[in-house]
Amino acid sequence: MNIDFSVEEKAFEAEVRQFLEEKLPQEISCKVLAGTPTSKDDHVRWQKILAEQGWAAVNWPVEYGGTGWTPTQKYIWANECAKAGAPDVVPFGMKMVAPVIYTYGNEEQKQRFLPDILNSNVWWCQGYSEPNAGSDLASLKTSAVRDGDHYVINGTKTWTTLGHYADWIFCLVRTGDANTKNQEAISFVLVDMDDPGITVSPIITLDGHREVNEIHFDNVRVPIENRIGEEGKGWTYAKVLLTHERTGIARVAHSKVRLEKLKKLASEASTGLGCLAEDPRFQAKLLDAEIELQALEFTELRTLAAVSTGKAPGPESSILKIKGTEVAQAIDELYMDVAGYYSLPFVKEQFLPEFEGDHIGPDTAANSAPKYFNNRKASIYGGSNEIQKNIICKAVLGL
């Protein structure tokens, strides 16, 4: 693999840097780089700027508004965005449901949904996991019973990230009878969150934030025309969506930026006997994380090359998901090492932009523990890492 940029690629890199310098709102980038929470308005504002530039849908086909970028251009874009502090594009619409709609939806559905996703006029969330169906997603119980030209949906979805912001939710629902094999009884349905019978209940996570929710469906009537593709084929469509989700979970560029910042913080941290960055045990852990991250980066580049040909990410997306989350969690642990005792107090207010008091400890120290605990979930969502190993065994190794 040739990792040297061509003249054209260097020109593109310069163009991206200039765009970010001129168009990325400073108040948003400051939040991202400081690790403080970003709001829905922050994300929508940034995504509308990207849409105006024509750079919102990096991986979409050109005919639907995609960029047509090469894998190297996508790599450059991700790295420059991470360094500049650009917020991630919220994946549920742009990166997850959109590929299912433009691949399996009919022309009317494409015209109806894709423009609003592209321009961030509509906020989406994902209705997959249930209280008793997570990694074993095929056992989901939420039912969609046919009633004329509608489905009547009953059940509960859980761990619904940012569902309290959502205008629409894409759901896996059970449309087959009791004798139908689990996977063959599942359909992929789009639901308006304003439909009567939907209740959103908050789940407050260990870091004190409302990030996830439970979504309850009580006799919610959804038009049949909101089903994507064929009835009973939802499992097939869901697997394609999950490969896109798992590829995005790797977040290589983000981890690279965090690792560089970590080195700086470690060089300024004292163990009482010297600089933490010079401690042999810390150095060994840091080098392990750096080596794993570099290997992961090359795997991501190979996956981008496959996606650029119009294919969905293959089973290698499971490799990215496993290693990406493991590397991110290793970096979280190193931040905890740097923070030391300063990671113990939890003053939630100091993570808000309007906070005017003294921060606890050095830069990012007090935020190390909340990030560490929150990010433990990364090896579970998108399909647990144990499930990903099964996928690799079957689809890659043929075991």
Side-chain angles (χ1 to χ4, degrees):
M1 182 180 294
N2 182 7
I3 61 173
D4 294 324
F5 292 160
S6 66
V7 173
E8 294 78 14
E9 288 161 351
K10 288 179 180 177
F12 175 75
E13 183 180 50
E15 181 186 5
V16 168
R17 285 179 181 170
Q18 182 178 358
F19 168 76
L20 291 168
E21 288 172 3
E22 294 176 356
K23 298 295 185 179
L24 175 59
Q26 186 176 5
E27 61 271 26
I28 296 178
S29 64
C30 286
K31 288 183 183 180
V32 174
L33 293 173
T36 56
T38 47
S39 67
K40 177 182 179 179
D41 289 342
D42 291 334
H43 285 278
V44 171
R45 181 183 174 191
W46 174 235
Q47 288 172 198
K48 284 185 175 295
I49 292 172
L50 292 178
E52 186 177 350
Q53 178 74 9
W55 290 359
V58 171
N59 286 319
W60 289 24
V62 173
E63 59 265 35
Y64 300 120
T67 58
W69 286 347
T70 65
T72 305
Q73 287 176 305
K74 295 174 187 177
Y75 169 82
I76 290 170
W77 170 248
N79 279 275
E80 293 302 320
C81 281
K83 286 188 284 189
D88 291 336
V89 171
V90 177
F92 307 107
M94 204 78 73
K95 298 181 180 180
M96 294 168 68
V97 73
V100 173
I101 294 172
Y102 64 62
T103 303
Y104 300 105
N106 57 42
E107 197 57 38
E108 182 181 348
Q109 290 168 334
K110 294 174 188 178
Q111 294 297 324
R112 179 184 177 188
F113 293 109
L114 292 180
D116 279 337
I117 294 174
L118 187 63
N119 293 292
S120 292
N121 295 330
V122 173
W123 188 286
W124 286 81
C125 65
Q126 178 184 28
Y128 274 23
S129 293
E130 299 184 1
N132 294 305
S135 294
D136 182 22
L137 189 57
S139 65
L140 65 89
K141 301 299 181 186
T142 297
S143 63
V145 178
R146 190 78 175 257
D147 182 22
D149 57 357
H150 283 75
Y151 286 120
V152 180
I153 299 180
N154 285 279
T156 297
K157 297 294 182 178
T158 195
W159 309 122
T160 310
T161 303
L162 305 181
H164 52 301
Y165 293 151
D167 304 298
W168 282 76
I169 181 172
F170 55 93
C171 288
L172 292 181
V173 294
R174 187 163 298 284
T175 50
D177 59 36
N179 297 319
T180 308
K181 181 182 175 182
N182 270 353
Q183 287 88 335
E184 296 172 0
I186 294 171
S187 298
F188 194 102
V189 178
L190 313 180
V191 183
D192 189 333
M193 290 289 284
D194 287 333
D195 284 345
I198 294 179
T199 304
V200 182
S201 302
I203 300 174
I204 306 302
T205 51
L206 194 59
D207 60 0
H209 295 298
R210 179 184 182 179
E211 183 182 7
V212 290
N213 307 266
E214 280 197 339
I215 313 291
H216 309 280
F217 298 85
D218 182 11
N219 291 321
V220 178
R221 296 183 64 83
V222 177
I224 298 295
E225 65 192 34
N226 285 11
R227 186 191 71 224
I228 298 295
E230 299 177 45
E231 187 169 282
K233 296 293 185 181
W235 189 252
T236 299
Y237 312 148
K239 287 191 293 184
V240 170
L241 183 152
L242 285 170
T243 59
H244 284 277
E245 179 184 8
R246 289 164 186 158
T247 302
I249 289 172
R251 302 192 73 200
V252 173
H254 179 73
S255 289
K256 285 169 65 178
V257 170
R258 291 193 71 208
L259 199 60
E260 287 305 309
K261 187 171 185 178
L262 177 72
K263 290 178 183 178
K264 179 178 181 296
L265 293 172
S267 69
E268 298 168 352
S270 173
T271 63
L273 298 174
C275 174
L276 179 61
E278 297 173 355
D279 179 85
R281 288 172 298 179
F282 181 83
Q283 284 182 339
K285 290 171 66 176
L286 180 62
L287 288 171
D288 281 344
E290 195 164 18
I291 291 167
E292 291 291 334
L293 180 56
Q294 191 172 67
L296 177 66
E297 186 173 22
F298 281 98
T299 304
E300 184 183 53
L301 285 169
R302 288 194 294 270
T303 304
L304 284 174
V307 172
S308 70
T309 65
K311 302 175 183 177
E316 66 271 14
S317 65
S318 293
I319 301 173
L320 289 176
K321 198 273 177 177
I322 293 170
K323 296 307 299 182
T325 55
E326 288 178 350
V327 168
Q329 289 172 346
I331 294 173
D332 289 334
E333 292 180 15
L334 288 165
Y335 268 90
M336 290 284 280
D337 288 343
V338 171
Y341 289 119
Y342 288 119
S343 66
L344 293 177
F346 180 61
V347 182
K348 182 180 176 182
E349 293 75 18
Q350 76 176 23
F351 307 128
L352 301 176
E354 60 269 21
F355 180 72
E356 296 180 351
D358 293 329
H359 286 252
I360 298 171
D363 185 25
T364 75
N367 200 23
S368 298
K371 277 188 172 294
Y372 170 85
F373 287 115
N374 185 280
N375 205 33
R376 304 312 295 170
K377 69 188 179 189
S379 46
I380 300 174
Y381 65 59
S384 72
N385 285 6
E386 290 76 12
I387 295 294
Q388 304 317 305
K389 291 174 183 177
N390 286 343
I391 293 172
I392 293 167
C393 285
K394 292 179 181 179
V396 179
L397 303 178
L399 301 177

